């Protein structure tokens, strides 16, 4: 087996440390001594086969060694520290990245799968070689799947189809992707698979003569044009045919492109010259030409694709690419190791190509459970794509059936949140319009936009857009969510006979907050209110803490808690006493504003401005909670006010604004300035004691040269 490894390294002309590879082989062989596979073969055969796949992909010393050692931490006495000491940190990190989280208890297999996938994705973001080892490991396991029981065969095959084949596709490693898909199909749908194999073989024999005739014609014409080319017939993969039959509702006889012709040439110029020759020989089918050379796929795949009518009237596909494109098509990102010095990710020009991976990792922070995380991963990995353009010609890739809203959020979160309409190819379209490859998309935004609609969640296709819309609602309605969450928590606690005050003892709260990764109780209530957590999840965690302290769950005692009177300076609330009064942050009322009170659930009375849009929404929903409120005129407190300035951008504008602020002697708490389309947009937060101070400030700002508008925050 060691000799096979060394022969394969020599065959692929790899510049690797042979002594290090030999050492890794001997360490793995000794560690796995006495272990056998389900097939009865010695266990060492598996890591050797995984290493052989990676050698063929042209990978480096550390990756080959890590492949040989990838199961020793999980299945033998060796540890991460042992590998770091015996080899190096890079090899130890790679093995750790591939190692499953097998020693942790999970509530469900789905949760365990999600955690394993999440761990691999995080390790992969640090070092892409982790997933290359994982894919090679899965490929060999799929090749030997026949030795497992039928139920395990199906489970492994489904996971391969859901996660590993799409990952190979995303990384452009088609050589592994196609084999994984065909093997998965064989175990998930054995009858259809073997029926397909028989039909394809019969059809291939029928069409072989025709394909050979096409190849001979092409060779002659390309030689006459002085183009060196390698031409071969390429059979369509079984899973690809199965998908077309299954999802497009076609019979086998309706699928014509079972065989394709692949032409590999030396230069990009030769690619286009070859395309011209093909189109003069046979008539191209409209709408079936794709130029992935000018517009590569996100996984770096490049080729020219065209479907033409063959000599006997049957359509067939032609693929044209250079040798370098062919290597990238076979091995994707892994192909870079053959041509670049060093193997550190920083030395590889792949950061942009892995942007989708970072997006997935961002989304997993938002997912409320393992099931949602896996759904997001599958959407991002497995969806087919459309390629659309910005008005300036930048190419944006999105999941198939995406809408202008998906496009807007892909460009920038603010553009998505402020989107009010869209133009496609110069014409206005509805926001649920399904984008097609080649569309030029222009998003219309407005600073007066009220933000996304909840209906958008049913329209968008990308998990990125869904996540950003949900984030907007969480931020915008946080106060409402806190109230709703607290009410649900207290109601469920009482229903279960629990004393809420006992539950909210300091030590219990701190422990529960830590378990859910929150810093305060309001964030926990907000998560319940917006649906990120269920009230049962939270109550159960509190009960777990109670059980540790007491033999029985504390029953709620029927007594009223004595309330302490807390007053807010300068506020009188009609008919209410001994209630906590606070100012709503959404509208920041100050003395002189017309105000109104709203009785919250468990958090006293919030004081809003009468023209506050949040208050209008709350009062409409629950009018019985509205109470009259007024200023007493007896206060010495200060209040925060937000002022927005819109002006023509010019030199010295900020200086003029600062001069007025200095003259006003009002403390500045925050300032934020940005430019857009030659306009300056400035947000100021100042500390005031009355509405008159705000009005004077606005009046002074309006006198500044170039100022278009000044107004106070109206939530």
């Amino acid at each position: 087996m060691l000799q096979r490894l060394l022969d394969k390294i020599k065959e692929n002309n790899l510049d690797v440390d042979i002594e290090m590879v030999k050492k890794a082989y001997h360490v793995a062989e000794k560690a796995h001594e006495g272990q056998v596979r389900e097939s009865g073969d010695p266990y060492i055969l598996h890591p050797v086969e995984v290493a052989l796949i990676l050698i063929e992909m042209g990978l480096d010393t550390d990756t080959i060694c890590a492949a040989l050692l990838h199961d020793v931490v999980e299945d033998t006495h060796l540890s991460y520290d042992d590998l770091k000491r015996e080899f190096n940190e890079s090899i130890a990190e790679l093995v750790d990245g591939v190692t499953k989280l097998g020693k942790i208890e999970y509530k469900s297999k789905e949760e365990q799968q999600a955690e394993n996938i999440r761990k691999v994705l995080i390790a992969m973001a640090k070092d892409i070689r982790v997933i290359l080892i994982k894919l090679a490991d899965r490929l060999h396991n799929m090749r030997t799947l026949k030795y497992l029981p039928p139920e395990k065969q199906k489970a492994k095959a489904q996971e391969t189809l859901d996660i590993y084949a799409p990952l190979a596709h995303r990384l452009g490693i088609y050589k592994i992707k196609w084999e994984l898909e065909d093997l998965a199909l064989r175990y998930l749908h054995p009858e259809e698979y073997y029926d397909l194999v028989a039909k394809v073989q019969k059809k291939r024999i029928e069409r072989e003569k025709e394909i050979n005739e096409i190849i001979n014609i092409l060779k002659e014409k390309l030689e006459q044009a002085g183009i060196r080319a390698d031409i071969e017939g390429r059979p369509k993969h079984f899973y690809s045919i199965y998908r077309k039959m299954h999802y497009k509702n076609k019979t086998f006889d309706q699928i014509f492109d079972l065989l394709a012709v692949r032409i590999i040439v030396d230069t990009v110029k030769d690619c286009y010259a070859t395309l011209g020759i093909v189109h003069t020989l046979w008539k191209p089918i409209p709408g079936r030409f794709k130029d992935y050379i000018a517009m590569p796929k996100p996984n770096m795949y490049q080729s020219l694709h065209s479907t033409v009518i063959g000599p006997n009237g049957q359509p067939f596909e032609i693929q044209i690419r250079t040798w370098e494109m062919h290597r990238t098509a076979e091995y994707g990102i892994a192909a870079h190791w053959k041509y670049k010095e060093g193997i550190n990710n920083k030395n590889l020009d792949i950061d942009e190509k892995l942007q989708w991976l970072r997006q997935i990792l961002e989304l997993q922070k938002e997912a409320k459970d393992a099931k949602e995380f896996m759904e997001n991963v599958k959407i991002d990995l497995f969806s087919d794509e459309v390629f659309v353009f910005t008005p300036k010609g930048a190419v944006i890739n999105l999941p198939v059936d995406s809408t202008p809203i998906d496009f807007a959020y892909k460009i920038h979160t603010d553009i998505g949140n402020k989107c009010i309409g869209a133009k496609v190819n110069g014409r206005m379209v509805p926001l649920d319009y399904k984008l097609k490859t080649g569309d030029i998309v222009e998003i219309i935004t407005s600073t007066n936009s009220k933000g996304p609609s909840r209906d958008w969640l049913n329209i968008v296709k990308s998990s990125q857009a869904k996540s950003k819309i949900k984030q907007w609602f969480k931020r915008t309605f946080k106060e409402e969510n806190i109230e709703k969450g607290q009410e649900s928590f207290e109601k469920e606690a009482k229903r279960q006979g629990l004393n809420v005050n006992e539950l909210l003892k300091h030590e219990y709260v701190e422990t529960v907050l830590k378990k859910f990764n929150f810093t305060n109780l309001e964030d926990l209530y907000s998560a319940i209110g917006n649906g990120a957590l269920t009230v049962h999840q939270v109550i159960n965690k509190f009960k777990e803490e109670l059980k540790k302290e007491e033999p029985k769950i504390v029953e709620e005692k029927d007594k009223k808690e004595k309330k302490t009177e807390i007053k807010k300076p300068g506020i009188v609330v009609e008919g209410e006493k001994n209630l906590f009064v606070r100012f709503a942050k959404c509208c920041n009322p100050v003395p002189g504003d017309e105000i109104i009170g709203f009785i919250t659930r468990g958090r006293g009375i919030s004081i809003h401005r009468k023209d506050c849009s949040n208050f209008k929404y709350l009062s409409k929903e629950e009018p019985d909670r509205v109470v009259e409120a007024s200023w007493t005129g007896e206060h010495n407190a200060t209040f925060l006010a937000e002022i927005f300035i819109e002006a023509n951008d010019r030199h010295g504008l900020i200086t003029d604004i600062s001069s007025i602020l200095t003259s006003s002697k009002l403390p500045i708490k925050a300032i934020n300035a940005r430019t857009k389309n030659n306009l300056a947009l400035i947000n100021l937060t100042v500390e005031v004691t009355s509405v008159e101070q705000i009005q004077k400030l606005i009046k002074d700002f309006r006198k500044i040269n170039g100022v278009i508008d000044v107004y106070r925050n109206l939530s």
Side-chain angles (χ1 to χ4, degrees), residues 12 14 55-58 327 331 334-340:
N12 283 270
L14 298 189
I55 290 168
E56 194 175 315
M57 291 166 72
R327 281 186 286 263
Y331 297 119
H336 284 254
W337 269 270
K338 291 186 178 182
Y339 314 108
K340 300 223 175 189

Side-chain angles (χ1 to χ4, degrees), residues 645-647 650 653 656-657 660 695-710:
I645 303 171
E646 186 178 348
R650 64 170 175 82
L653 178 65
D656 291 347
I657 291 169
I660 288 173
Q695 288 165 350
K696 185 179 184 311
L697 207 52
I698 290 173
K699 188 178 178 182
D700 290 343
F701 284 146
R702 282 185 173 146
K703 292 176 184 176
I704 295 173
N705 180 31
V707 167
I708 299 166
D709 197 8
V710 185

Side-chain angles (χ1 to χ4, degrees), residues 424-544:
V424 173
N425 305 324
R427 294 173 57 206
M428 290 295 296
V429 296
L431 289 177
D432 60 356
Y433 171 86
K434 291 182 179 179
L435 298 173
K436 301 175 188 66
T437 293
D439 282 346
I440 300 169
V441 188
E442 181 184 351
I443 299 299
I444 301 164
T445 62
S446 169
T447 51
N448 296 321
S449 165
K450 293 179 181 177
S453 157
R454 289 196 183 273
D455 293 338
W456 288 9
L457 290 168
N458 300 320
I459 294 171
V460 296
K461 291 296 174 189
S462 63
S463 53
Q464 182 188 15
K466 284 185 181 176
S467 175
K468 287 181 175 180
I469 293 166
K470 286 177 182 175
Q471 283 174 26
W472 186 88
F473 280 110
K474 282 180 189 176
R475 283 195 304 270
T476 307
F477 296 106
K478 186 169 183 181
E479 191 170 311
E480 183 187 336
N481 287 330
I482 290 169
E483 291 170 5
K484 197 161 81 175
Q486 183 174 5
E487 183 183 24
S488 298
F489 175 82
E490 291 176 357
K491 189 176 178 181
E492 181 59 26
K494 287 175 184 175
R495 193 188 69 78
Q496 294 193 31
L498 299 171
N499 185 317
V500 174
N501 294 314
E502 188 68 29
L503 280 184
L504 297 182
K505 273 187 178 178
H506 176 73
E507 61 270 22
Y508 298 155
V509 174
E510 289 297 311
T511 308
V512 173
L513 289 176
K514 194 174 179 182
K515 286 189 176 180
F516 286 114
N517 292 319
F518 292 119
T519 53
N520 56 59
L521 202 53
E522 284 193 350
D523 287 344
L524 183 68
Y525 288 149
S526 179
I528 297 170
N530 65 42
L533 289 174
T534 67
V535 69
H536 296 288
Q537 284 176 288
V538 177
I539 292 287
N540 287 340
K541 280 281 182 262
F542 273 106
K543 284 167 72 175
E544 284 173 22

Side-chain angles (χ1 to χ4, degrees), residues 9 63 114 294 303 389 449 497 541 565 603 620:
I9 290 168
T63 314
S303 271
F389 297 93
S449 165
K541 280 281 182 262
E565 183 172 353
R603 299 175 72 239
K620 189 177 176 183

